[in-house]
Amino acid sequence: ASNAPDGTGMQTHLAANNVVGNGILSQLITKTSDNHLYNCEVNTRDKFEAVYAYFEARSKTPTGTAIWPSFWTVSRFGW
């Protein structure tokens, strides 16, 4: 688990929230009664690298308040 740098300390990334079934990756988000969020990430550091690439994702996101879906790619050199 790693704490997300959201400035509040209210998020934790859990690898267990990445679930694969029938060739589909599902990323689960859970919320505790004290509003702490457990979400997930896919980290490919030292496993995958591309110089020129095209990345694509299809996602279903819930509607409501405080929903900020994102798709990030970060260089091996950091932000």
Side-chain angles (χ1 to χ4, degrees):
S2 65
N3 286 326
D6 69 343
T8 66
M10 297 298 289
Q11 290 187 60
T12 302
H13 293 166
L14 296 176
N17 280 13
N18 286 318
V19 179
V20 178
N22 295 324
I24 297 171
L25 169 65
S26 296
Q27 296 187 300
L28 308 176
I29 300 170
T30 54
K31 184 178 179 181
T32 61
S33 60
D34 63 348
N35 290 329
H36 189 92
L37 295 175
Y38 290 94
N39 54 22
C40 51
E41 65 185 358
V42 175
N43 187 337
T44 59
R45 178 175 286 175
D46 299 326
K47 298 175 187 160
F48 171 80
E49 186 173 319
V51 176
Y52 302 101
Y54 174 82
F55 297 93
E56 182 176 324
R58 255 188 332 179
S59 63
K60 292 181 186 178
T61 56
T63 58
T65 58
I67 303 295
W68 299 286
S70 60
F71 184 80
W72 294 83
T73 59
V74 180
S75 160
R76 68 181 165 134
F77 303 110
W79 299 99

